[in-house]
Amino acid sequence: MKYTIYTILMICTFGAYAQDGGFYYGTRLALGESNLESKGIDNSQSKLFWQLGAASAFQLTNNIGITADFLLTGKGAKGNGSVENGGITGPSEYTYDEDISLINGEVPLALKLSYPVGGLYLKAYAGPSINFNFVGTHSRTYDNEGYNNNNGFNNSKIKTLETMSTSFVYGAGVDVKAGNNRLFFLDVRLSQSMADIGTINGEGIQSSFVALTAGYMFK
């Protein structure tokens, strides 16, 4: 899918007029769902995703632009599983819930192509993102209170995360031009790691998210 989006974008550019050229800057806010794919997380489930920071765009031609954001991101995953532990009367199984949270800095760079429809500009974009890990925490709570007191942990720092990683970001949405060179935007953004961002429970982790983003820019 991420490879075909460029073809779709190029088809939309022929014979169309899009936004005024120049440099725009402003803010971006995103909310959605994130997940972590890893054999080290049993029954991985999605978790709230949020993102906030600066947005910018430079319109190279009538239809082609480049975007660059500088964002603070919160993402992670939840999971549940069980472990067996031997005892005097034989092995016992203990179930648990776990929570993984990551705080990252992200700098996505994307090619953006746009097409006018009435007073709106339909757009699609794709490109790489450079991600910087700030902190990651891991919590595990066992259902058995006694076992949890000895083996559970809360917000333990994950020391096996890469300092820097890369992902692929792509999405589509709409820009709305207002007076005084102001630009409001709304889009759906997706991201997928291009390599492991670290390990958890001895297994590699990859990160993904889907989010609805909104923002405001001006010249």
Side-chain angles (χ1 to χ4, degrees), residues 60-98:
L60 297 172
T61 70
N62 287 339
N63 300 100
I64 302 174
I66 295 174
T67 67
D69 299 333
F70 303 88
L71 306 166
L72 182 66
T73 298
K75 56 188 176 182
K78 296 181 179 181
N80 57 74
S82 63
V83 297
E84 284 191 355
N85 193 14
I88 297 176
T89 59
S92 298
E93 185 176 62
Y94 300 96
T95 59
Y96 63 83
D97 294 316
E98 64 183 338

Side-chain angles (χ1 to χ4, degrees), residues 110-148:
L111 171 70
K112 183 189 78 168
L113 301 180
S114 53
Y115 187 89
V117 177
L120 306 178
Y121 299 98
L122 301 182
K123 66 177 180 180
Y125 57 86
S129 178
I130 303 172
N131 309 317
F132 302 92
N133 174 59
F134 293 154
V135 65
T137 60
H138 185 192
S139 299
R140 178 176 288 187
T141 304
Y142 291 90
D143 292 340
N144 184 290
E145 184 176 358
Y147 190 82
N148 186 67

